[in-house]
Amino acid sequence: RLERLQRVVTKLQMESGLCEEQLNQADALLQADVRLVAAGKPPQQAAAVERDLDKADAMIRLLFNDVQALKDGRHPQDEQMYRRVYRLHERLVAIRTEYNLRLKSGAMPTMVPTVTAAPGQQRPRAELDEAPLRYLQDLLAWVEENQRRVAAAEWGMDLPTVETQLGGHRGLHHSIEEFRAKIERARADEVRMSPPAPWGDTGEQGMDDKRTRTMLQPLLCPPQNSSKSRLRHLESLHGFVSAATKELLWLSEKEEEEVTFDWSHRNPNMAAKKDNYS
């Protein structure tokens, strides 16, 4: 059983590395397109970025299945592998979010004809509105997942467990802070890159933009507040458990001395022992 689980660990390590390369490739293509869009040019690699992200998504789903097998088998590296795959998942969501925000909702409007359209020919507008909806769904799913993760997190009962939890949560909190920065940058880009309404209905377009920003606003706080609170409590718990562990180790050492001490009258150190007790 242990050999089988160890093979799963090896497989996870290898395939998570391949998945990371896939995400690196997608991110590189995305950043190249973001630079094109910033220069007023249409993106060139959007299809390749989406294809790479879909591949990485499928790989991560399989990796989570392997992690569950480790958890079911109570392998000692199950939590470590879970954090590794979860970081890949967080990066996938971050790249896909940036792709939806900065290409689909930022670059696509420049590709829509600005001529006046007949009432029955407004399908491009509907397709344009799908991009904000998709990225908002991604953002909301990310927030809800991490809110659940923080709320359901347990508190360790010993120093190694608390140290593991503290290290893992510091990584999560860093991801949340990066997420907040991405949202703020995306909102700034949205204001800067918003084109005029192509059909002359500026009132409706303005309402849509306002509604989008209103939906984004609640994402700026949770789960940041609950994450900050847990980080603060974990640091406090770690300090307490560290001090308590030192005291317990001292007690254990003293207990060992008493148990192994030669209490017979033949022990020449008996006088010194009496002095210590006095």
Side-chain angles (χ1 to χ4, degrees), residues 146-156 165 169 172 230 234:
N146 283 284
Q147 281 179 318
R148 284 195 299 268
R149 187 178 172 192
V150 173
E154 297 180 351
W155 304 95
Q165 291 173 345
H169 189 74
L172 172 61
R230 176 167 172 81
L234 274 173

Side-chain angles (χ1 to χ4, degrees), residues 31 77 126 136 148 154 178 205 224 246-247 253 256 270 272 278:
Q31 298 309 318
Q77 289 180 274
L136 280 172
R148 284 195 299 268
E154 297 180 351
E178 285 186 339
Q205 178 70 29
Q224 189 184 39
K246 288 179 181 177
E247 298 295 334
E253 290 172 3
E256 186 66 22
M270 205 49 133
S278 67

Side-chain angles (χ1 to χ4, degrees), residues 261-271:
F261 187 75
D262 180 9
W263 291 94
S264 69
H265 65 280
R266 295 186 298 273
N267 187 350
N269 295 324
M270 205 49 133

Side-chain angles (χ1 to χ4, degrees), residues 12-13 67 70 77-85:
L12 269 167
Q13 291 170 334
V67 167
L70 293 182
Q77 289 180 274
D78 59 355
E79 187 64 26
Q80 177 188 346
M81 291 296 105
Y82 170 78
R83 290 198 303 273
R84 183 169 184 170
V85 176

Side-chain angles (χ1 to χ4, degrees), residues 96-97 100-101 104-105 130-140 186 190 212-213 216 219:
R96 193 185 292 279
T97 298
N100 287 331
L101 285 168
K104 284 197 171 182
S105 66
E130 289 178 5
L133 178 61
R134 279 196 298 272
Y135 82 69
L136 280 172
Q137 288 172 340
D138 282 346
L139 299 183
L140 288 168
E190 179 193 9
T212 300
R213 288 192 291 271
L216 279 171
L219 300 177

